[in-house]
Amino acid sequence: MSYSQIRLKILPSVRCLFDKMVQVKVEGLAPHKQVQLRSKLVDDRGVIFKASALYKADETGQVDVYRAPSLGGSYTGVEPMGLFWALAPETPHSKLLKKNVLSPTLVELEALSGETGEVLASETNERHYMTEGMKRIPVQEGRIRGVLFVPPGKGPFPGVVDLYTFGGRLTEPRASLLANKGFVVLALAYTDYQDLPKNPKKLDLEYFEEAVSYLRRQPEVKGPGIGIIAISHSGGLALSMSSFLSGISATVCINGCNANTVIPLHYKDIVIPPLPPIMKNIKITESGLADIRDALPDPSLEKNRASLIPIERASCQFLFAVSEDDHNWNSVFFAKQAAATLRNHGKESFKVVTYPKAGHFLEVPHMPYCSSGFHGAVGSDVVFGGEPKAHSEAQLDLWEKVQEFFKSYLDN
């Protein structure tokens, strides 16, 4: 048969935004022939991520990944975006790094003969972060370090502060993709970025207060209230901002803790010490990784209460998103405790969403799942929990919920 008729198609276009689905098709195969589909990307650190799946052409010589089941490989069954979410790093304990969102992430797709392994067709999916006309503005305003994303169009738009993980420097993908939905988003760094200290001894809430003021001053931002989205360590910062600062209307806390962690948090004359970990509760997995899920004690115990964030003071709406298989810490326990605190103070201003088999890093849709990696506060590789498919589905669901939440409470 002639290979020249075999085509690998990415629909509706080879170019799309990172959070969008694409349809992968192979046409021109011999009927019922087996074909292996492979995906590959190289991140900004040079780490290679790969996935593969075996398919069988239908009677017309076509494989449509939207409809056809994978018979084996990185995943099985009908998984329209399996070649993307199943991408796994060749270097263990690697999380996909995207430093700068001005360039797309390129995912190379190949169709190979199931018998000979010969490459039959290939195509590259350009997964972009910024819609046409979006502005990406590096921010060095007083102490504040970050990047501001302003969507195209008339505006004004609701404003959101995006905080990432401890030791995560600055992460732009989520902020830029959220800005595409009609928000002005400030991706805010707080450690180890430009001239910010690599290992700060404390964090000042005034820094975050300045960031909120800066965002509210932008002419494209409509007030009065600002949103916050945060994950992991910064979840506690988001809860602290919501509790102590004015003008916060809607806070998304993803797999966070309801107490301060890692280093002391200062605000004016208030000091919130970090919750002290119980080192003997750290387990080592069979593969030699640390499992720190149970390292942090119950923050509501008398001896730990100084670390609790007083979220009963907050006047905003909260969305707590938690993964039941989070092994970074027991985020379900912390979210339920936070919800109970609000309820005990007569506040029903929260929603808790749980994802059964998801792990710690709930990212934007189609971001490869990270099962283990370096932990900035622990200083070594740890397990993050979760199963790839369930984790991927959780990311899709949460992304919709985040947008609905911010539109409900900021866009009025």
Side-chain angles (χ1 to χ4, degrees):
M1 64 177 287
S2 162
Y3 290 164
S4 62
Q5 281 135 23
I6 299 173
R7 294 266 183 278
L8 193 155
K9 291 183 172 176
I10 298 169
L11 303 169
S13 163
V14 293
R15 290 173 59 112
C16 67
L17 285 171
F18 192 95
D19 60 340
K20 291 286 185 253
M21 293 179 75
V22 287
Q23 185 174 12
V24 178
K25 276 184 170 183
V26 184
E27 296 173 349
L29 298 161
H32 311 297
K33 268 278 185 282
Q34 284 209 338
V35 62
Q36 188 188 42
L37 296 186
R38 283 188 191 167
S39 53
K40 175 186 163 185
L41 73 79
V42 183
D43 81 352
D44 290 356
R45 206 181 264 118
V47 175
I48 297 167
F49 289 73
K50 285 182 172 175
S52 66
L54 193 64
Y55 286 90
K56 191 176 175 185
D58 63 14
E59 63 279 2
T60 68
Q62 177 175 292
V63 170
D64 179 353
V65 174
Y66 255 47
R67 291 202 299 264
S70 161
L71 307 173
S74 303
Y75 58 91
T76 54
V78 178
E79 293 295 340
M81 289 296 285
L83 289 163
F84 298 86
W85 61 251
L87 283 161
E90 287 192 330
T91 310
H93 324 310
S94 299
K95 192 167 173 298
L96 189 139
L97 179 71
K98 184 69 180 134
K99 284 182 183 162
N100 181 325
V101 293
L102 290 170
S103 63
T105 289
L106 302 177
V107 182
E108 297 168 34
L109 296 169
E110 287 182 330
L112 296 88
S113 163
E115 288 142 18
T116 64
E118 206 174 339
V119 177
L120 307 174
S122 61
E123 189 59 273
T124 300
N125 183 201
E126 294 180 25
R127 303 188 69 76
H128 291 258
Y129 296 88
M130 294 170 57
T131 196
E132 201 68 44
M134 181 184 287
K135 293 202 283 262
R136 176 189 176 275
I137 304 160
V139 177
Q140 286 186 309
E141 182 91 6
R143 295 194 286 175
I144 307 163
R145 299 291 176 267
V147 174
L148 187 72
F149 293 96
V150 182
K154 268 187 67 69
F157 306 98
V160 175
V161 176
D162 181 308
L163 297 167
Y164 205 63
T165 62
F166 190 79
R169 300 192 174 118
L170 186 79
T171 305
E172 300 183 16
R174 183 176 65 191
S176 55
L177 290 166
L178 188 57
N180 291 328
K181 311 294 181 187
F183 300 94
V184 174
V185 185
L186 173 62
L188 182 66
Y190 62 96
T191 60
D192 196 15
Y193 178 74
Q194 293 178 355
D195 55 353
L196 293 176
K198 185 170 181 173
N199 297 302
K201 298 287 171 274
K202 65 181 175 92
L203 288 174
D204 288 315
L205 205 56
E206 282 90 345
Y207 172 82
F208 301 90
E209 190 168 35
E210 286 166 30
V212 169
S213 301
Y214 165 80
L215 184 59
R216 291 176 75 176
R217 280 200 309 273
Q218 300 313 301
E220 302 90 349
V221 173
K222 75 173 196 185
I226 293 291
I228 308 172
I229 183 166
I231 184 169
S232 195
H233 173 264
S234 70
L237 295 173
L239 299 184
S240 302
M241 291 165 75
S242 308
S243 305
F244 291 105
L245 311 182
S246 61
I248 310 294
S249 292
T251 297
V252 177
C253 178
I254 304 165
N255 287 329
C257 179
N258 59 323
N260 182 41
T261 56
V262 191
I263 50 175
L265 183 65
H266 290 234
Y267 184 56
K268 297 178 177 167
D269 54 357
I270 300 165
V271 178
I272 303 181
L275 190 60
I278 301 170
M279 303 312 276
K280 70 175 194 316
N281 285 359
I282 298 176
K283 301 182 187 77
I284 302 297
T285 65
E286 285 173 12
S287 57
L289 294 171
D291 183 343
I292 59 171
R293 178 184 168 89
D294 300 317
L296 288 184
D298 180 347
S300 70
L301 298 177
E302 193 58 50
K303 61 182 178 186
N304 299 325
R305 275 205 193 137
S307 300
L308 263 182
I309 296 155
I311 58 165
E312 63 278 1
R313 297 175 50 148
S315 57
C316 67
Q317 292 285 332
F318 289 103
L319 174 63
F320 296 98
V322 288
S323 299
E324 287 183 8
D325 199 38
D326 185 352
H327 276 258
N328 182 76
W329 50 24
N330 194 340
S331 45
V332 172
F333 177 82
F334 297 140
K336 284 183 174 164
Q337 197 169 81
T341 299
L342 289 166
R343 192 176 281 124
N344 292 342
H345 286 82
K347 297 186 173 183
E348 289 292 334
S349 51
F350 63 88
K351 190 174 178 193
V352 180
V353 185
T354 55
Y355 296 105
K357 292 175 182 171
H360 184 57
F361 281 115
L362 287 177
E363 302 272 8
V364 294
H366 322 307
M367 185 65 79
Y369 155 75
C370 175
S371 62
S372 59
F374 185 78
H375 191 292
V378 179
S380 64
D381 290 328
V382 306
V383 284
F384 290 126
E387 292 173 12
K389 178 174 156 65
H391 192 90
S392 157
E393 287 168 356
Q395 290 183 160
L396 267 174
D397 184 79
L398 177 58
W399 191 233
E400 293 305 315
K401 285 193 166 61
V402 164
Q403 292 169 56
E404 284 163 23
F405 177 74
F406 281 146
K407 287 200 167 104
S408 299
Y409 298 113
L410 297 179
D411 219 353
N412 39 30

